[in-house]
Amino acid sequence: MAASPSTARAINDRLALRLLQQEGPLTAGQLKTLTGLSRPTVADLVERLQDAGLVRVVGETGDRRRGPNARLYGIVADLAHLAALDVRTHSVSVVVADLLGRTLAEADLPIGSDTATEAAVERAAALLECTAAEAGAVRLHSVGIGAPGLVAPGTGELRDTTGLPAWHRRLVAALHERLSATVLVENETNLAALAEQRLGAARGQDTFVLLWLGHGVGAAVVLDGKLRRGASGGAGEIGFLPVPGTSRLPSALGCEGGFHGLVGSAGIAELAEEYGISAVAAAQEPPAAALVRAAVEAVSTARAAAEEKGAATPRHKAADAFLGVLADRLAIGAAAVSAVLDPGRIVLAGEVGHAGGPALAARVEARLAAMSPLHTEVRAGTLGGTAVLRGALLTARDAAQDDLFAPEPN
């Protein structure tokens, strides 16, 4: 059945807006080429989008030719302001951006474990409001929040999870109360997967698993282009996976006896101490990230030196052995993921995955190949600790654009 004229116009308008979002400012001629639409149809849609306040002239082409230069049309970026929050156990980070996702202001705030719940909520909410004011955002359209713990699939609410600060859950409720904006909450690892899929190591992948390696460990599962959350929102709680090499089994109240015990920051730090690896972590950085980065740099330096002198120091050998054992540990969890889901690609994300880089990813891939008959690529995440914040911003931007770019009702 052929689309009605109004439906066809709506489809064409959204196509043009998506192209302007992805490609940046375009001329009417470029829109004609990219959409395949006729010149009159493109002229009509450009006029329609201008009248709706979604598109405006942002410049002209610099082509040297007879006649006037072609006008460049772009999305009205300040039509809506967005915000993203990365809520950690002891800190919160905020970024405010325009409709195209361009950062206008950002800020970070540590929140100590001894801070009372209401005081922590007030500080986090005030940080968002101050950052929005600095960005010139009178009103926020959409706010994306990334937080550890389970998000209920039916309601989108952050569930009360043992071991996480009470202010996390209260903050989400407070923002719903204080803001007129759309507030969207998602598990931090799922947002990291979205960011790596759109901007990083999983770009173009419809099926993959992301392992988040930071202070703790988690996983995000993307199958056939869709993020899979599970019946209770707990898909990817891989820290609770029972594995060999720990002194006890995990429990419903704690994952210390599971995979978390092997590759959480504390477990990696203990392993590094055994091999004499030391490093100073940056502010808010998991200690394991600095240790893994130091080991990778030491091995790289040793290889360069070996090419010149043919020998490596004991420190370099210890770093190599440390990375080998860490790769073995990571491969245990990766093999379980591979056997159950056959994702084809696993991304080692978070601060630790980023610190290990391609060198650690290659070691894990080699060990995984020896453990599983299913071919699985292992790649290092490229966004590091910023992945959650970027994923939250992408979620807020998608929500705003879906609303603002929606066709007018007949």
Side-chain angles (χ1 to χ4, degrees), residues 259 262-263 267-268 271-272 274-275 318-332 360 363-364 367:
F259 189 50
L262 290 184
V263 297
I268 294 176
L271 179 65
E274 293 178 19
Y275 286 90
D320 185 71
F322 161 71
L323 291 175
V325 175
L326 177 57
D328 288 339
R329 291 184 173 189
L330 288 168
I332 292 173
L360 179 60
R363 289 173 183 255
V364 177
R367 282 148 174 84

mmCIF file with all atom_site columns, all heavy atoms in Angstrom, residues 259 262-263 267-268 271-272 274-275 318-332 360 363-364 367:
data_model
loop_
_atom_site.group_PDB
_atom_site.id
_atom_site.type_symbol
_atom_site.label_atom_id
_atom_site.label_alt_id
_atom_site.label_comp_id
_atom_site.label_asym_id
_atom_site.label_entity_id
_atom_site.label_seq_id
_atom_site.pdbx_PDB_ins_code
_atom_site.Cartn_x
_atom_site.Cartn_y
_atom_site.Cartn_z
_atom_site.occupancy
_atom_site.B_iso_or_equiv
_atom_site.pdbx_formal_charge
_atom_site.auth_seq_id
_atom_site.auth_comp_id
_atom_site.auth_asym_id
_atom_site.auth_atom_id
_atom_site.pdbx_PDB_model_num
ATOM 1   N N   . PHE A 1 259 ? 33.350 -14.064 39.757 1.00 0.00 ? 259 PHE A N   1
ATOM 2   C CA  . PHE A 1 259 ? 34.282 -13.510 38.765 1.00 0.00 ? 259 PHE A CA  1
ATOM 3   C C   . PHE A 1 259 ? 34.812 -12.149 39.208 1.00 0.00 ? 259 PHE A C   1
ATOM 4   O O   . PHE A 1 259 ? 35.942 -11.786 38.908 1.00 0.00 ? 259 PHE A O   1
ATOM 5   C CB  . PHE A 1 259 ? 33.556 -13.404 37.425 1.00 0.00 ? 259 PHE A CB  1
ATOM 6   C CG  . PHE A 1 259 ? 34.423 -13.045 36.255 1.00 0.00 ? 259 PHE A CG  1
ATOM 7   C CD1 . PHE A 1 259 ? 35.610 -13.718 35.997 1.00 0.00 ? 259 PHE A CD1 1
ATOM 8   C CD2 . PHE A 1 259 ? 34.043 -12.026 35.394 1.00 0.00 ? 259 PHE A CD2 1
ATOM 9   C CE1 . PHE A 1 259 ? 36.404 -13.384 34.905 1.00 0.00 ? 259 PHE A CE1 1
ATOM 10  C CE2 . PHE A 1 259 ? 34.825 -11.684 34.299 1.00 0.00 ? 259 PHE A CE2 1
ATOM 11  C CZ  . PHE A 1 259 ? 36.007 -12.366 34.059 1.00 0.00 ? 259 PHE A CZ  1
ATOM 12  N N   . LEU A 1 262 ? 38.129 -12.166 40.887 1.00 0.00 ? 262 LEU A N   1
ATOM 13  C CA  . LEU A 1 262 ? 39.315 -12.354 40.051 1.00 0.00 ? 262 LEU A CA  1
ATOM 14  C C   . LEU A 1 262 ? 39.718 -11.091 39.298 1.00 0.00 ? 262 LEU A C   1
ATOM 15  O O   . LEU A 1 262 ? 40.901 -10.793 39.176 1.00 0.00 ? 262 LEU A O   1
ATOM 16  C CB  . LEU A 1 262 ? 39.073 -13.484 39.038 1.00 0.00 ? 262 LEU A CB  1
ATOM 17  C CG  . LEU A 1 262 ? 38.977 -14.913 39.551 1.00 0.00 ? 262 LEU A CG  1
ATOM 18  C CD1 . LEU A 1 262 ? 38.830 -15.868 38.375 1.00 0.00 ? 262 LEU A CD1 1
ATOM 19  C CD2 . LEU A 1 262 ? 40.192 -15.284 40.394 1.00 0.00 ? 262 LEU A CD2 1
ATOM 20  N N   . VAL A 1 263 ? 38.725 -10.352 38.776 1.00 0.00 ? 263 VAL A N   1
ATOM 21  C CA  . VAL A 1 263 ? 39.070 -9.257  37.860 1.00 0.00 ? 263 VAL A CA  1
ATOM 22  C C   . VAL A 1 263 ? 38.500 -7.905  38.286 1.00 0.00 ? 263 VAL A C   1
ATOM 23  O O   . VAL A 1 263 ? 38.593 -6.934  37.542 1.00 0.00 ? 263 VAL A O   1
ATOM 24  C CB  . VAL A 1 263 ? 38.619 -9.578  36.421 1.00 0.00 ? 263 VAL A CB  1
ATOM 25  C CG1 . VAL A 1 263 ? 39.344 -10.805 35.903 1.00 0.00 ? 263 VAL A CG1 1
ATOM 26  C CG2 . VAL A 1 263 ? 37.110 -9.768  36.345 1.00 0.00 ? 263 VAL A CG2 1
ATOM 27  N N   . GLY A 1 267 ? 40.904 -7.311  43.269 1.00 0.00 ? 267 GLY A N   1
ATOM 28  C CA  . GLY A 1 267 ? 41.559 -8.575  42.922 1.00 0.00 ? 267 GLY A CA  1
ATOM 29  C C   . GLY A 1 267 ? 42.765 -8.378  42.034 1.00 0.00 ? 267 GLY A C   1
ATOM 30  O O   . GLY A 1 267 ? 43.802 -9.050  42.200 1.00 0.00 ? 267 GLY A O   1
ATOM 31  N N   . ILE A 1 268 ? 42.672 -7.466  41.085 1.00 0.00 ? 268 ILE A N   1
ATOM 32  C CA  . ILE A 1 268 ? 43.810 -7.178  40.200 1.00 0.00 ? 268 ILE A CA  1
ATOM 33  C C   . ILE A 1 268 ? 44.940 -6.529  40.991 1.00 0.00 ? 268 ILE A C   1
ATOM 34  O O   . ILE A 1 268 ? 46.122 -6.819  40.765 1.00 0.00 ? 268 ILE A O   1
ATOM 35  C CB  . ILE A 1 268 ? 43.369 -6.284  39.033 1.00 0.00 ? 268 ILE A CB  1
ATOM 36  C CG1 . ILE A 1 268 ? 42.380 -7.040  38.138 1.00 0.00 ? 268 ILE A CG1 1
ATOM 37  C CG2 . ILE A 1 268 ? 44.567 -5.831  38.208 1.00 0.00 ? 268 ILE A CG2 1
ATOM 38  C CD1 . ILE A 1 268 ? 41.807 -6.208  37.007 1.00 0.00 ? 268 ILE A CD1 1
ATOM 39  N N   . LEU A 1 271 ? 46.810 -9.167  42.816 1.00 0.00 ? 271 LEU A N   1
ATOM 40  C CA  . LEU A 1 271 ? 47.652 -9.913  41.874 1.00 0.00 ? 271 LEU A CA  1
ATOM 41  C C   . LEU A 1 271 ? 48.897 -9.107  41.519 1.00 0.00 ? 271 LEU A C   1
ATOM 42  O O   . LEU A 1 271 ? 50.015 -9.654  41.455 1.00 0.00 ? 271 LEU A O   1
ATOM 43  C CB  . LEU A 1 271 ? 46.848 -10.230 40.609 1.00 0.00 ? 271 LEU A CB  1
ATOM 44  C CG  . LEU A 1 271 ? 47.585 -10.995 39.511 1.00 0.00 ? 271 LEU A CG  1
ATOM 45  C CD1 . LEU A 1 271 ? 47.970 -12.395 39.988 1.00 0.00 ? 271 LEU A CD1 1
ATOM 46  C CD2 . LEU A 1 271 ? 46.717 -11.085 38.245 1.00 0.00 ? 271 LEU A CD2 1
ATOM 47  N N   . ALA A 1 272 ? 48.735 -7.813  41.282 1.00 0.00 ? 272 ALA A N   1
ATOM 48  C CA  . ALA A 1 272 ? 49.879 -6.965  40.932 1.00 0.00 ? 272 ALA A CA  1
ATOM 49  C C   . ALA A 1 272 ? 50.897 -6.929  42.057 1.00 0.00 ? 272 ALA A C   1
ATOM 50  O O   . ALA A 1 272 ? 52.124 -6.928  41.812 1.00 0.00 ? 272 ALA A O   1
ATOM 51  C CB  . ALA A 1 272 ? 49.384 -5.552  40.615 1.00 0.00 ? 272 ALA A CB  1
ATOM 52  N N   . GLU A 1 274 ? 51.586 -9.294  44.112 1.00 0.00 ? 274 GLU A N   1
ATOM 53  C CA  . GLU A 1 274 ? 52.340 -10.549 44.092 1.00 0.00 ? 274 GLU A CA  1
ATOM 54  C C   . GLU A 1 274 ? 53.515 -10.480 43.124 1.00 0.00 ? 274 GLU A C   1
ATOM 55  O O   . GLU A 1 274 ? 54.560 -11.106 43.349 1.00 0.00 ? 274 GLU A O   1
ATOM 56  C CB  . GLU A 1 274 ? 51.426 -11.710 43.687 1.00 0.00 ? 274 GLU A CB  1
ATOM 57  C CG  . GLU A 1 274 ? 50.336 -12.046 44.694 1.00 0.00 ? 274 GLU A CG  1
ATOM 58  C CD  . GLU A 1 274 ? 49.443 -13.175 44.206 1.00 0.00 ? 274 GLU A CD  1
ATOM 59  O OE1 . GLU A 1 274 ? 49.881 -13.915 43.285 1.00 0.00 ? 274 GLU A OE1 1
ATOM 60  O OE2 . GLU A 1 274 ? 48.320 -13.316 44.724 1.00 0.00 ? 274 GLU A OE2 1
ATOM 61  N N   . TYR A 1 275 ? 53.351 -9.718  42.040 1.00 0.00 ? 275 TYR A N   1
ATOM 62  C CA  . TYR A 1 275 ? 54.404 -9.622  41.026 1.00 0.00 ? 275 TYR A CA  1
ATOM 63  C C   . TYR A 1 275 ? 55.229 -8.347  41.150 1.00 0.00 ? 275 TYR A C   1
ATOM 64  O O   . TYR A 1 275 ? 56.054 -8.050  40.282 1.00 0.00 ? 275 TYR A O   1
ATOM 65  C CB  . TYR A 1 275 ? 53.776 -9.703  39.631 1.00 0.00 ? 275 TYR A CB  1
ATOM 66  C CG  . TYR A 1 275 ? 53.317 -11.100 39.272 1.00 0.00 ? 275 TYR A CG  1
ATOM 67  C CD1 . TYR A 1 275 ? 52.028 -11.520 39.581 1.00 0.00 ? 275 TYR A CD1 1
ATOM 68  C CD2 . TYR A 1 275 ? 54.182 -12.004 38.665 1.00 0.00 ? 275 TYR A CD2 1
ATOM 69  C CE1 . TYR A 1 275 ? 51.601 -12.806 39.285 1.00 0.00 ? 275 TYR A CE1 1
ATOM 70  C CE2 . TYR A 1 275 ? 53.779 -13.288 38.356 1.00 0.00 ? 275 TYR A CE2 1
ATOM 71  C CZ  . TYR A 1 275 ? 52.476 -13.695 38.674 1.00 0.00 ? 275 TYR A CZ  1
ATOM 72  O OH  . TYR A 1 275 ? 52.074 -14.974 38.374 1.00 0.00 ? 275 TYR A OH  1
ATOM 73  N N   . ALA A 1 318 ? 58.417 -9.675  35.244 1.00 0.00 ? 318 ALA A N   1
ATOM 74  C CA  . ALA A 1 318 ? 57.327 -9.743  36.209 1.00 0.00 ? 318 ALA A CA  1
ATOM 75  C C   . ALA A 1 318 ? 56.055 -9.132  35.625 1.00 0.00 ? 318 ALA A C   1
ATOM 76  O O   . ALA A 1 318 ? 54.952 -9.670  35.809 1.00 0.00 ? 318 ALA A O   1
ATOM 77  C CB  . ALA A 1 318 ? 57.718 -9.021  37.499 1.00 0.00 ? 318 ALA A CB  1
ATOM 78  N N   . ALA A 1 319 ? 56.207 -8.031  34.921 1.00 0.00 ? 319 ALA A N   1
ATOM 79  C CA  . ALA A 1 319 ? 55.046 -7.387  34.294 1.00 0.00 ? 319 ALA A CA  1
ATOM 80  C C   . ALA A 1 319 ? 54.423 -8.300  33.249 1.00 0.00 ? 319 ALA A C   1
ATOM 81  O O   . ALA A 1 319 ? 53.190 -8.403  33.148 1.00 0.00 ? 319 ALA A O   1
ATOM 82  C CB  . ALA A 1 319 ? 55.467 -6.061  33.661 1.00 0.00 ? 319 ALA A CB  1
ATOM 83  N N   . ASP A 1 320 ? 55.256 -8.975  32.476 1.00 0.00 ? 320 ASP A N   1
ATOM 84  C CA  . ASP A 1 320 ? 54.763 -9.895  31.455 1.00 0.00 ? 320 ASP A CA  1
ATOM 85  C C   . ASP A 1 320 ? 54.006 -11.057 32.098 1.00 0.00 ? 320 ASP A C   1
ATOM 86  O O   . ASP A 1 320 ? 52.931 -11.466 31.630 1.00 0.00 ? 320 ASP A O   1
ATOM 87  C CB  . ASP A 1 320 ? 55.933 -10.414 30.626 1.00 0.00 ? 320 ASP A CB  1
ATOM 88  C CG  . ASP A 1 320 ? 55.475 -11.291 29.474 1.00 0.00 ? 320 ASP A CG  1
ATOM 89  O OD1 . ASP A 1 320 ? 54.887 -10.744 28.521 1.00 0.00 ? 320 ASP A OD1 1
ATOM 90  O OD2 . ASP A 1 320 ? 55.689 -12.519 29.531 1.00 0.00 ? 320 ASP A OD2 1
ATOM 91  N N   . ALA A 1 321 ? 54.541 -11.580 33.186 1.00 0.00 ? 321 ALA A N   1
ATOM 92  C CA  . ALA A 1 321 ? 53.886 -12.685 33.885 1.00 0.00 ? 321 ALA A CA  1
ATOM 93  C C   . ALA A 1 321 ? 52.564 -12.227 34.496 1.00 0.00 ? 321 ALA A C   1
ATOM 94  O O   . ALA A 1 321 ? 51.554 -12.950 34.452 1.00 0.00 ? 321 ALA A O   1
ATOM 95  C CB  . ALA A 1 321 ? 54.809 -13.229 34.971 1.00 0.00 ? 321 ALA A CB  1
ATOM 96  N N   . PHE A 1 322 ? 52.540 -11.027 35.061 1.00 0.00 ? 322 PHE A N   1
ATOM 97  C CA  . PHE A 1 322 ? 51.315 -10.468 35.639 1.00 0.00 ? 322 PHE A CA  1
ATOM 98  C C   . PHE A 1 322 ? 50.217 -10.348 34.586 1.00 0.00 ? 322 PHE A C   1
ATOM 99  O O   . PHE A 1 322 ? 49.069 -10.767 34.813 1.00 0.00 ? 322 PHE A O   1
ATOM 100 C CB  . PHE A 1 322 ? 51.625 -9.101  36.249 1.00 0.00 ? 322 PHE A CB  1
ATOM 101 C CG  . PHE A 1 322 ? 50.422 -8.228  36.466 1.00 0.00 ? 322 PHE A CG  1
ATOM 102 C CD1 . PHE A 1 322 ? 49.496 -8.516  37.456 1.00 0.00 ? 322 PHE A CD1 1
ATOM 103 C CD2 . PHE A 1 322 ? 50.217 -7.103  35.667 1.00 0.00 ? 322 PHE A CD2 1
ATOM 104 C CE1 . PHE A 1 322 ? 48.380 -7.707  37.655 1.00 0.00 ? 322 PHE A CE1 1
ATOM 105 C CE2 . PHE A 1 322 ? 49.116 -6.290  35.853 1.00 0.00 ? 322 PHE A CE2 1
ATOM 106 C CZ  . PHE A 1 322 ? 48.189 -6.589  36.854 1.00 0.00 ? 322 PHE A CZ  1
ATOM 107 N N   . LEU A 1 323 ? 50.553 -9.816  33.431 1.00 0.00 ? 323 LEU A N   1
ATOM 108 C CA  . LEU A 1 323 ? 49.568 -9.676  32.356 1.00 0.00 ? 323 LEU A CA  1
ATOM 109 C C   . LEU A 1 323 ? 49.094 -11.040 31.860 1.00 0.00 ? 323 LEU A C   1
ATOM 110 O O   . LEU A 1 323 ? 47.931 -11.208 31.481 1.00 0.00 ? 323 LEU A O   1
ATOM 111 C CB  . LEU A 1 323 ? 50.151 -8.867  31.203 1.00 0.00 ? 323 LEU A CB  1
ATOM 112 C CG  . LEU A 1 323 ? 50.385 -7.377  31.480 1.00 0.00 ? 323 LEU A CG  1
ATOM 113 C CD1 . LEU A 1 323 ? 51.084 -6.722  30.304 1.00 0.00 ? 323 LEU A CD1 1
ATOM 114 C CD2 . LEU A 1 323 ? 49.064 -6.661  31.776 1.00 0.00 ? 323 LEU A CD2 1
ATOM 115 N N   . GLY A 1 324 ? 49.989 -12.014 31.880 1.00 0.00 ? 324 GLY A N   1
ATOM 116 C CA  . GLY A 1 324 ? 49.602 -13.360 31.461 1.00 0.00 ? 324 GLY A CA  1
ATOM 117 C C   . GLY A 1 324 ? 48.571 -13.968 32.377 1.00 0.00 ? 324 GLY A C   1
ATOM 118 O O   . GLY A 1 324 ? 47.568 -14.555 31.925 1.00 0.00 ? 324 GLY A O   1
ATOM 119 N N   . VAL A 1 325 ? 48.771 -13.824 33.686 1.00 0.00 ? 325 VAL A N   1
ATOM 120 C CA  . VAL A 1 325 ? 47.816 -14.368 34.652 1.00 0.00 ? 325 VAL A CA  1
ATOM 121 C C   . VAL A 1 325 ? 46.490 -13.604 34.575 1.00 0.00 ? 325 VAL A C   1
ATOM 122 O O   . VAL A 1 325 ? 45.406 -14.201 34.651 1.00 0.00 ? 325 VAL A O   1
ATOM 123 C CB  . VAL A 1 325 ? 48.390 -14.309 36.079 1.00 0.00 ? 325 VAL A CB  1
ATOM 124 C CG1 . VAL A 1 325 ? 47.342 -14.771 37.096 1.00 0.00 ? 325 VAL A CG1 1
ATOM 125 C CG2 . VAL A 1 325 ? 49.637 -15.181 36.180 1.00 0.00 ? 325 VAL A CG2 1
ATOM 126 N N   . LEU A 1 326 ? 46.575 -12.292 34.420 1.00 0.00 ? 326 LEU A N   1
ATOM 127 C CA  . LEU A 1 326 ? 45.344 -11.494 34.298 1.00 0.00 ? 326 LEU A CA  1
ATOM 128 C C   . LEU A 1 326 ? 44.558 -11.914 33.057 1.00 0.00 ? 326 LEU A C   1
ATOM 129 O O   . LEU A 1 326 ? 43.329 -12.039 33.101 1.00 0.00 ? 326 LEU A O   1
ATOM 130 C CB  . LEU A 1 326 ? 45.693 -10.007 34.232 1.00 0.00 ? 326 LEU A CB  1
ATOM 131 C CG  . LEU A 1 326 ? 44.508 -9.059  34.033 1.00 0.00 ? 326 LEU A CG  1
ATOM 132 C CD1 . LEU A 1 326 ? 43.463 -9.236  35.122 1.00 0.00 ? 326 LEU A CD1 1
ATOM 133 C CD2 . LEU A 1 326 ? 44.990 -7.609  33.976 1.00 0.00 ? 326 LEU A CD2 1
ATOM 134 N N   . ALA A 1 327 ? 45.257 -12.157 31.956 1.00 0.00 ? 327 ALA A N   1
ATOM 135 C CA  . ALA A 1 327 ? 44.587 -12.615 30.732 1.00 0.00 ? 327 ALA A CA  1
ATOM 136 C C   . ALA A 1 327 ? 43.920 -13.967 30.955 1.00 0.00 ? 327 ALA A C   1
ATOM 137 O O   . ALA A 1 327 ? 42.806 -14.219 30.469 1.00 0.00 ? 327 ALA A O   1
ATOM 138 C CB  . ALA A 1 327 ? 45.583 -12.697 29.580 1.00 0.00 ? 327 ALA A CB  1
ATOM 139 N N   . ASP A 1 328 ? 44.576 -14.847 31.696 1.00 0.00 ? 328 ASP A N   1
ATOM 140 C CA  . ASP A 1 328 ? 43.973 -16.144 32.023 1.00 0.00 ? 328 ASP A CA  1
ATOM 141 C C   . ASP A 1 328 ? 42.667 -15.959 32.797 1.00 0.00 ? 328 ASP A C   1
ATOM 142 O O   . ASP A 1 328 ? 41.671 -16.629 32.535 1.00 0.00 ? 328 ASP A O   1
ATOM 143 C CB  . ASP A 1 328 ? 44.941 -16.982 32.860 1.00 0.00 ? 328 ASP A CB  1
ATOM 144 C CG  . ASP A 1 328 ? 46.126 -17.501 32.046 1.00 0.00 ? 328 ASP A CG  1
ATOM 145 O OD1 . ASP A 1 328 ? 46.004 -17.562 30.808 1.00 0.00 ? 328 ASP A OD1 1
ATOM 146 O OD2 . ASP A 1 328 ? 47.158 -17.822 32.658 1.00 0.00 ? 328 ASP A OD2 1
ATOM 147 N N   . ARG A 1 329 ? 42.705 -15.048 33.765 1.00 0.00 ? 329 ARG A N   1
ATOM 148 C CA  . ARG A 1 329 ? 41.504 -14.790 34.563 1.00 0.00 ? 329 ARG A CA  1
ATOM 149 C C   . ARG A 1 329 ? 40.369 -14.240 33.701 1.00 0.00 ? 329 ARG A C   1
ATOM 150 O O   . ARG A 1 329 ? 39.222 -14.667 33.811 1.00 0.00 ? 329 ARG A O   1
ATOM 151 C CB  . ARG A 1 329 ? 41.835 -13.801 35.685 1.00 0.00 ? 329 ARG A CB  1
ATOM 152 C CG  . ARG A 1 329 ? 42.752 -14.343 36.763 1.00 0.00 ? 329 ARG A CG  1
ATOM 153 C CD  . ARG A 1 329 ? 42.933 -13.318 37.870 1.00 0.00 ? 329 ARG A CD  1
ATOM 154 N NE  . ARG A 1 329 ? 43.677 -13.845 39.004 1.00 0.00 ? 329 ARG A NE  1
ATOM 155 C CZ  . ARG A 1 329 ? 43.830 -13.211 40.170 1.00 0.00 ? 329 ARG A CZ  1
ATOM 156 N NH1 . ARG A 1 329 ? 43.273 -12.018 40.347 1.00 0.00 ? 329 ARG A NH1 1
ATOM 157 N NH2 . ARG A 1 329 ? 44.514 -13.760 41.146 1.00 0.00 ? 329 ARG A NH2 1
ATOM 158 N N   . LEU A 1 330 ? 40.685 -13.266 32.874 1.00 0.00 ? 330 LEU A N   1
ATOM 159 C CA  . LEU A 1 330 ? 39.663 -12.668 32.015 1.00 0.00 ? 330 LEU A CA  1
ATOM 160 C C   . LEU A 1 330 ? 39.097 -13.687 31.032 1.00 0.00 ? 330 LEU A C   1
ATOM 161 O O   . LEU A 1 330 ? 37.899 -13.670 30.714 1.00 0.00 ? 330 LEU A O   1
ATOM 162 C CB  . LEU A 1 330 ? 40.248 -11.472 31.257 1.00 0.00 ? 330 LEU A CB  1
ATOM 163 C CG  . LEU A 1 330 ? 40.528 -10.225 32.102 1.00 0.00 ? 330 LEU A CG  1
ATOM 164 C CD1 . LEU A 1 330 ? 41.379 -9.227  31.321 1.00 0.00 ? 330 LEU A CD1 1
ATOM 165 C CD2 . LEU A 1 330 ? 39.217 -9.577  32.543 1.00 0.00 ? 330 LEU A CD2 1
ATOM 166 N N   . ALA A 1 331 ? 39.947 -14.582 30.561 1.00 0.00 ? 331 ALA A N   1
ATOM 167 C CA  . ALA A 1 331 ? 39.516 -15.590 29.598 1.00 0.00 ? 331 ALA A CA  1
ATOM 168 C C   . ALA A 1 331 ? 38.499 -16.550 30.218 1.00 0.00 ? 331 ALA A C   1
ATOM 169 O O   . ALA A 1 331 ? 37.655 -17.102 29.505 1.00 0.00 ? 331 ALA A O   1
ATOM 170 C CB  . ALA A 1 331 ? 40.715 -16.365 29.066 1.00 0.00 ? 331 ALA A CB  1
ATOM 171 N N   . ILE A 1 332 ? 38.554 -16.755 31.533 1.00 0.00 ? 332 ILE A N   1
ATOM 172 C CA  . ILE A 1 332 ? 37.576 -17.631 32.188 1.00 0.00 ? 332 ILE A CA  1
ATOM 173 C C   . ILE A 1 332 ? 36.170 -17.071 32.023 1.00 0.00 ? 332 ILE A C   1
ATOM 174 O O   . ILE A 1 332 ? 35.237 -17.768 31.616 1.00 0.00 ? 332 ILE A O   1
ATOM 175 C CB  . ILE A 1 332 ? 37.922 -17.791 33.685 1.00 0.00 ? 332 ILE A CB  1
ATOM 176 C CG1 . ILE A 1 332 ? 39.219 -18.585 33.845 1.00 0.00 ? 332 ILE A CG1 1
ATOM 177 C CG2 . ILE A 1 332 ? 36.772 -18.476 34.430 1.00 0.00 ? 332 ILE A CG2 1
ATOM 178 C CD1 . ILE A 1 332 ? 39.728 -18.650 35.285 1.00 0.00 ? 332 ILE A CD1 1
ATOM 179 N N   . LEU A 1 360 ? 46.585 -6.316  26.000 1.00 0.00 ? 360 LEU A N   1
ATOM 180 C CA  . LEU A 1 360 ? 45.867 -7.226  26.893 1.00 0.00 ? 360 LEU A CA  1
ATOM 181 C C   . LEU A 1 360 ? 44.771 -7.958  26.134 1.00 0.00 ? 360 LEU A C   1
ATOM 182 O O   . LEU A 1 360 ? 44.562 -9.162  26.334 1.00 0.00 ? 360 LEU A O   1
ATOM 183 C CB  . LEU A 1 360 ? 45.274 -6.451  28.071 1.00 0.00 ? 360 LEU A CB  1
ATOM 184 C CG  . LEU A 1 360 ? 44.475 -7.279  29.078 1.00 0.00 ? 360 LEU A CG  1
ATOM 185 C CD1 . LEU A 1 360 ? 45.347 -8.354  29.714 1.00 0.00 ? 360 LEU A CD1 1
ATOM 186 C CD2 . LEU A 1 360 ? 43.871 -6.370  30.152 1.00 0.00 ? 360 LEU A CD2 1
ATOM 187 N N   . ARG A 1 363 ? 46.097 -10.946 24.298 1.00 0.00 ? 363 ARG A N   1
ATOM 188 C CA  . ARG A 1 363 ? 46.395 -12.072 25.190 1.00 0.00 ? 363 ARG A CA  1
ATOM 189 C C   . ARG A 1 363 ? 45.112 -12.835 25.548 1.00 0.00 ? 363 ARG A C   1
ATOM 190 O O   . ARG A 1 363 ? 45.087 -14.065 25.546 1.00 0.00 ? 363 ARG A O   1
ATOM 191 C CB  . ARG A 1 363 ? 47.064 -11.562 26.471 1.00 0.00 ? 363 ARG A CB  1
ATOM 192 C CG  . ARG A 1 363 ? 48.500 -11.057 26.292 1.00 0.00 ? 363 ARG A CG  1
ATOM 193 C CD  . ARG A 1 363 ? 48.983 -10.422 27.586 1.00 0.00 ? 363 ARG A CD  1
ATOM 194 N NE  . ARG A 1 363 ? 50.308 -9.861  27.481 1.00 0.00 ? 363 ARG A NE  1
ATOM 195 C CZ  . ARG A 1 363 ? 51.418 -10.400 27.985 1.00 0.00 ? 363 ARG A CZ  1
ATOM 196 N NH1 . ARG A 1 363 ? 51.350 -11.550 28.627 1.00 0.00 ? 363 ARG A NH1 1
ATOM 197 N NH2 . ARG A 1 363 ? 52.582 -9.797  27.854 1.00 0.00 ? 363 ARG A NH2 1
ATOM 198 N N   . VAL A 1 364 ? 44.053 -12.089 25.858 1.00 0.00 ? 364 VAL A N   1
ATOM 199 C CA  . VAL A 1 364 ? 42.789 -12.736 26.213 1.00 0.00 ? 364 VAL A CA  1
ATOM 200 C C   . VAL A 1 364 ? 42.231 -13.502 25.021 1.00 0.00 ? 364 VAL A C   1
ATOM 201 O O   . VAL A 1 364 ? 41.738 -14.630 25.167 1.00 0.00 ? 364 VAL A O   1
ATOM 202 C CB  . VAL A 1 364 ? 41.774 -11.689 26.707 1.00 0.00 ? 364 VAL A CB  1
ATOM 203 C CG1 . VAL A 1 364 ? 40.427 -12.356 27.003 1.00 0.00 ? 364 VAL A CG1 1
ATOM 204 C CG2 . VAL A 1 364 ? 42.287 -10.982 27.956 1.00 0.00 ? 364 VAL A CG2 1
ATOM 205 N N   . ARG A 1 367 ? 44.085 -16.834 24.632 1.00 0.00 ? 367 ARG A N   1
ATOM 206 C CA  . ARG A 1 367 ? 43.697 -17.826 25.633 1.00 0.00 ? 367 ARG A CA  1
ATOM 207 C C   . ARG A 1 367 ? 42.276 -18.322 25.397 1.00 0.00 ? 367 ARG A C   1
ATOM 208 O O   . ARG A 1 367 ? 41.978 -19.498 25.596 1.00 0.00 ? 367 ARG A O   1
ATOM 209 C CB  . ARG A 1 367 ? 43.843 -17.225 27.025 1.00 0.00 ? 367 ARG A CB  1
ATOM 210 C CG  . ARG A 1 367 ? 45.315 -17.212 27.486 1.00 0.00 ? 367 ARG A CG  1
ATOM 211 C CD  . ARG A 1 367 ? 45.597 -16.041 28.371 1.00 0.00 ? 367 ARG A CD  1
ATOM 212 N NE  . ARG A 1 367 ? 46.937 -16.098 28.928 1.00 0.00 ? 367 ARG A NE  1
ATOM 213 C CZ  . ARG A 1 367 ? 48.039 -15.665 28.310 1.00 0.00 ? 367 ARG A CZ  1
ATOM 214 N NH1 . ARG A 1 367 ? 47.960 -15.181 27.061 1.00 0.00 ? 367 ARG A NH1 1
ATOM 215 N NH2 . ARG A 1 367 ? 49.216 -15.713 28.903 1.00 0.00 ? 367 ARG A NH2 1
#
